[in-house]
Amino acid sequence: MNLIAFLNEMHLTPYSAAAYAIAWLVYLGYLGRILVRMKKVAAERAELERTFASGKTATLTRSAS
Amino acid sequence: MESSMKKLPPISILFVVALLGVTSYLALAVAPTERTMGDVQRIFYYHVPSGWVAFLCFFINFVASAVYLWRRSEGSDALAAASAEVGVVFCTVLLITGPLWARPVWGIWWTWDARLTTTLVLWLIYVSYLVLRRFSAGGQTQVLAAAFAIFGFVDVPIVYMSIRWFRTQHPSPVMGGGENSGLDPAMAHVFLFNLAAFTLMGIVFLVLRYKLQMSEQALESTHAQAALKGVA
């Protein structure tokens, strides 16, 4: 079954299609944002700990969250 | 520990996509068509669960803020910040799906009735809370935010009761709203499944956002230590 046939099975109206599409976008977008920020913070923390451990003067630049 | 953190993103993405896929399929293909509104009523299966999770998150924010004021623990402050943000996301979907349902049914996108207005005020309260946390400088931010959250939560029961206290454009409660309320069993099954699935999705977001908040707080303290070492 292709995507068009599958979508035809759904009882969609333009308004409900928009509502569901926006909800998916908001929820997945938010999840993506959290995961990207987690990755950034972990990388920044590892970098800072490396600098800290090597005994060098730490640079105090931070990524914008 | 490290490997479990690496596995977390793909698992959480798969889990959320699966929840969204199943809930959409049930709402759009399995649930029966409502007699008077037709297929547009299917927005209900995302609209109400989003509102429920938003309320739940704001309640968690209220409790965590009270605990923070009592114990001053970093964990409760992180939970308060995380739950407010997740609550705003779900409340945003509630406020977007509402007008998309209202337009074909009421003929208008928006009206300043009690339920809609108090919900918009609720969203604005928690957006203000997040702005306060983000931009407030000085050592009292967490205390101010916690106090703000406790006063802000007053709007949650007002939103809930608004359709019971006032005659509004917004319909009366579908479940638990008196003699003439209730759902067809086939609709109720889909609705309750979606309610549970959205609650699970809210918990996933909350756990991830809490972990992020704790990591950010740890990074802040590492920065402070580095600054001290750098100065010394």
Side-chain angles (χ1 to χ4, degrees):
Chain A
M1 192 192 322
N2 63 30
L3 186 67
I4 303 292
F6 179 72
L7 286 175
N8 279 337
E9 249 187 54
M10 304 279 173
H11 298 269
L12 282 166
T13 69
Y15 292 102
S16 61
Y20 277 79
I22 291 170
W24 272 68
L25 206 69
V26 171
Y27 291 134
L28 289 179
Y30 181 61
L31 178 64
R33 185 172 179 267
I34 293 176
L35 297 176
V36 166
R37 279 169 70 187
M38 281 175 99
K39 211 172 164 184
K40 253 181 161 176
V41 169
E44 200 176 332
R45 217 173 142 188
E47 173 68 31
L48 200 64
E49 272 163 10
R50 261 201 306 278
T51 315
F52 216 17
S54 69
K56 289 177 196 165
T57 304
T59 53
L60 296 175
T61 51
R62 296 173 198 193
S63 66
S65 55
Chain B
M1 180 73 183
E2 189 70 21
S3 68
S4 72
M5 283 297 283
K6 278 180 183 165
K7 280 178 193 163
L8 204 60
I11 289 172
S12 58
I13 293 169
L14 278 176
F15 189 64
V16 170
V17 169
L19 284 179
L20 286 170
V22 173
T23 52
S24 297
Y25 179 75
L26 288 175
L28 296 171
V30 175
T33 305
E34 206 269 340
R35 206 180 300 147
T36 50
M37 286 183 270
D39 283 331
V40 79
Q41 181 270 345
R42 292 170 193 277
I43 293 175
F44 165 80
Y45 301 104
Y46 262 39
H47 180 72
V48 179
S50 296
W52 153 251
V53 177
F55 280 15
L56 192 66
C57 287
F58 295 148
F59 177 69
I60 293 169
N61 172 264
F62 169 74
V63 174
S65 299
V67 170
Y68 178 75
L69 286 180
W70 180 33
R71 294 206 164 161
R72 296 289 198 273
S73 66
E74 290 297 317
S76 54
D77 180 62
L79 183 61
S83 55
E85 195 178 284
V86 176
V88 164
V89 169
F90 280 86
C91 198
T92 302
V93 171
L94 175 74
L95 284 169
I96 293 171
T97 52
L100 284 166
W101 188 5
R103 182 71 181 90
V105 175
W106 299 343
I108 45 170
W109 293 101
W110 183 266
T111 179
W112 294 101
D113 90 333
R115 171 52 74 86
L116 277 68
T117 307
T118 51
T119 308
L120 180 64
V121 169
L122 184 72
W123 184 81
L124 288 170
I125 286 170
Y126 284 94
V127 168
S128 308
Y129 170 89
L130 294 175
V131 170
L132 171 75
R133 290 193 70 103
R134 180 81 177 82
F135 294 108
S136 169
Q140 293 296 307
T141 304
Q142 292 164 314
V143 176
L144 277 174
F148 187 107
I150 287 169
F151 285 111
F153 185 74
V154 171
D155 194 35
V156 172
I158 296 174
V159 174
Y160 181 75
M161 294 305 291
S162 60
I163 49 175
R164 291 165 173 86
W165 288 341
F166 307 102
R167 280 174 65 99
T168 65
Q169 175 87 29
H170 192 282
S172 305
V174 174
M175 291 178 114
E179 276 179 24
N180 296 321
S181 69
L183 273 177
D184 177 272
M187 286 178 162
H189 289 147
V190 174
F191 172 66
L192 291 173
F193 183 90
N194 279 17
L195 209 60
F198 270 61
T199 307
L200 260 178
M201 192 163 73
I203 291 169
V204 169
F205 285 170
L206 199 58
V207 168
L208 290 173
R209 185 62 187 83
Y210 174 77
K211 279 177 184 283
L212 173 65
Q213 188 71 22
M214 291 300 277
S215 302
E216 283 177 343
Q217 286 176 1
L219 183 65
E220 284 289 320
S221 68
T222 316
H223 266 296
Q225 282 177 359
L228 281 174
K229 205 175 179 183
V231 170

